[in-house]
Amino acid sequence: MSNFVEIDGSYLEGGGQALRNAISLSVILNRPVRVVKIRANRPKPGLSHQHLHGVHLLRAISQADVNGDALLSTELEFTPRRIEGGMYKVDTRTAASITLIYQMVMPVLLFANSSSRVDVTGGTNVAFSPQVEYMQQVLLPSLKRFAANTAMELTVLHHGFYPRGNGRCQLNVEPLQQPLTAAQFMDFGQFREVKGAAYYAGRLPKFIAYDLQHSAEREIHRLWPDHQCNIQVFKHTPDRARDNGAGIILTALTSTGCVLGAGSVGEKNIDGHMIGSNASCELAGYIKNEVCVDAHLQDQLIIFMALAKGCSRMRTCALSKHTRTAIYVAEQMTGVKFNIEYGDFGQTFVSCEGLGHFNNV
C-alpha cells in the first residue's frame, strides 16, 4: 500500500482536474496512485459517468488494476502496467466532453509502444471544457514546441452539443522517438491578426451567428483598427451536427508563433451579442497584456513541462485554479518543482526543470 502516491482530489479546484492529471501521470511514469476526496468541491462529489469513461480508457491502455471505479466513488486506486498503443473507442452516450477525455490520453499515448487511434462519441462543444476547435487550433500547435515532430491529428467527424451530444472525433497519435524537449512560451513578438468562426446548427436562426460575429469583430476593430479580424459565419449541416448548437471560437496570432484562444458556447436563451463580446474582450486582454499562453492553455501544458527535458517557461496571465491544481499533481507525481513569479500588467511567469522522461519501449 505504501507504493501509492496519494493525491488530494479536493485541492483548490476540487473537480476532475486532479483525477485526470494524476491518472495520466500514473500511466506515463508507471507509478501507482491513490486519489482521495475526488471532486469534493462539486455539488455531487465523486466520479461521474464522464470521469469513469476516462479512467476505464486509461485502464484499457495500460492494463491497469483499478479499485474504486464506481459511480460517485470518492477514492480510486490505479496501478498501471505497460502502455499499449492501438485502436480504442469510447461512447459516452451523453454530451460528456470529448476534449476532456482526450486531455487524459494525449500525453499518455506519446509514450505508447505503437501508433494509436482513439474514437470518442460525446460533446464536442460544451460548457466547462475546451471546444474541439480550441484543441485543434491552440493546443496541438503549442505542443509542437515540446516536440516538433509530434504527430497528433484530431479529426471531427460530427459535432455534438448539450444535452444529447452525438458528436464524434478521432485522435491519432504517433509515439515519441525521443524525449520531449523544454518549450519556451516567453516571446510575444508582435500581434498580427485575429481569426475565428461563429457557428450555428439545428433549428437555430442564423442571426445568432451573425450577432456573435459582429460583436466580436466590433471589439477587436475598436482596439486595433489596422489589424485584420476575420471571423467566418457558418452553419453545421445536418450531416455534421444533428442538434441545436451555437458558439464562437477566436484565435490571435503573433509574429513569434504564439496562438491565443478564447470562445464560448451558447446554451439556453442564447444572446449572441453578449457571447461574442465576452469572447473578444477576453482575447483582447491577452493581446494587450502580451501573454504567450492564455488561461485555458496553462493547465494543459503543465504535464508536458514536467515531463520535458530541460527548463520550460511560459509567460501567461493569472493562474487559474485548474493550473494550480495541475502543478500540485505534477509536483506530487514527478518530484519536479514549478517556480512562479509575478510581473507587471498581471503577467505570471511559470518555469520548471522537467524530468526528461523518455519512451523506453
Side-chain angles (χ1 to χ4, degrees):
M1 297 293 287
S2 61
N3 292 331
F4 285 98
V5 180
E6 186 163 295
I7 299 296
D8 182 356
S10 69
Y11 185 81
L12 285 179
E13 186 258 342
Q17 182 79 11
L19 175 78
R20 286 190 295 271
N21 286 29
I23 302 300
S24 296
L25 284 169
S26 172
V27 175
I28 293 168
L29 302 174
N30 197 28
R31 297 192 68 185
V33 67
R34 180 190 297 114
V35 186
V36 300
K37 302 177 185 176
I38 296 171
R39 299 180 68 245
N41 297 343
R42 293 295 182 260
K44 290 185 178 181
L47 293 171
S48 71
H49 287 290
Q50 174 173 303
H51 303 101
L52 281 173
H53 286 300
V55 169
H56 289 160
L57 176 57
L58 285 183
R59 180 184 64 186
I61 289 172
S62 64
Q63 300 89 54
D65 292 328
V66 185
N67 293 313
D69 54 331
L71 191 64
L72 301 183
S73 171
T74 58
E75 183 170 323
L76 181 83
E77 291 181 345
F78 194 96
T79 305
R81 294 188 181 89
R82 174 175 169 146
I83 304 173
E84 294 282 351
M87 304 283 287
Y88 297 94
K89 190 169 184 177
V90 177
D91 186 353
T92 69
R93 301 183 185 278
T94 66
S97 172
I98 291 174
T99 57
L100 290 183
I101 292 174
Y102 282 155
Q103 272 188 26
M104 294 182 73
V105 299
M106 270 185 175
V108 168
L109 293 176
L110 288 174
F111 299 93
N113 60 358
S114 63
S115 304
S116 302
R117 170 173 289 179
V118 184
D119 188 314
V120 183
T121 300
T124 59
N125 303 74
V126 293
F128 307 112
S129 63
Q131 297 191 69
V132 68
E133 293 85 359
Y134 179 92
M135 187 165 273
Q136 292 174 314
Q137 299 168 21
V138 181
L139 175 61
L140 292 184
S142 298
L143 293 184
K144 288 191 176 295
R145 297 202 181 196
F146 292 95
N149 62 344
T150 299
M152 289 193 193
E153 181 181 16
L154 176 56
T155 303
V156 182
L157 303 178
H158 209 277
H159 284 79
F161 311 105
Y162 182 83
R164 295 206 297 177
N166 292 323
R168 184 183 170 199
C169 297
Q170 286 182 348
L171 173 69
N172 294 321
V173 182
E174 293 293 330
L176 291 170
Q177 301 301 315
Q178 57 189 17
L180 296 168
T181 56
Q184 307 301 315
F185 299 87
M186 297 293 290
D187 184 4
F188 180 83
Q190 299 294 320
F191 166 48
R192 292 298 194 208
E193 63 177 325
V194 169
K195 295 182 179 180
Y199 61 85
Y200 67 110
R203 297 185 303 276
L204 294 181
K206 64 181 178 181
F207 75 77
I208 289 177
Y210 282 106
D211 288 348
L212 289 163
Q213 177 199 42
H214 293 156
S215 56
E217 287 184 341
R218 183 168 57 247
E219 179 65 16
I220 299 300
H221 284 147
R222 181 181 70 83
L223 295 169
W224 295 279
D226 297 327
H227 285 70
Q228 184 176 357
C229 178
N230 180 20
I231 302 174
Q232 297 183 341
V233 170
F234 66 92
K235 180 176 183 177
H236 289 308
T237 55
D239 63 311
R240 297 281 293 176
R242 298 189 186 96
D243 301 313
N244 294 339
I248 190 169
I249 180 74
L250 304 174
T251 56
L253 309 177
T254 79
S255 59
T256 55
C258 294
V259 186
L260 304 163
S264 188
V265 178
E267 295 183 32
K268 293 182 179 180
N269 303 318
I270 300 171
D271 185 335
H273 287 297
M274 182 183 70
I275 294 173
S277 178
N278 289 345
S280 59
C281 285
E282 178 187 346
L283 190 68
Y286 301 143
I287 298 168
K288 286 188 288 186
N289 292 335
E290 296 190 346
V291 301
C292 302
V293 174
D294 64 58
H296 312 288
L297 185 61
Q298 293 172 352
D299 64 297
Q300 299 182 72
L301 296 183
I302 296 301
I303 282 182
F304 297 93
M305 293 175 71
L307 294 172
K309 182 179 180 179
C311 185
S312 297
R313 299 177 179 86
M314 67 169 152
R315 173 180 178 176
T316 185
C317 49
L319 299 188
S320 66
K321 287 185 178 180
H322 278 85
T323 302
R324 292 185 177 275
T325 299
I327 289 173
Y328 157 73
V329 173
E331 290 184 338
Q332 294 296 308
M333 292 295 298
T334 67
V336 305
K337 296 298 178 184
F338 282 79
N339 182 54
I340 302 171
E341 299 177 353
Y342 302 97
D344 298 331
F345 311 111
Q347 294 175 350
T348 305
F349 300 91
V350 182
S351 60
C352 168
E353 186 72 32
L355 285 179
H357 185 72
F358 62 92
N359 193 353
N360 59 2
V361 296

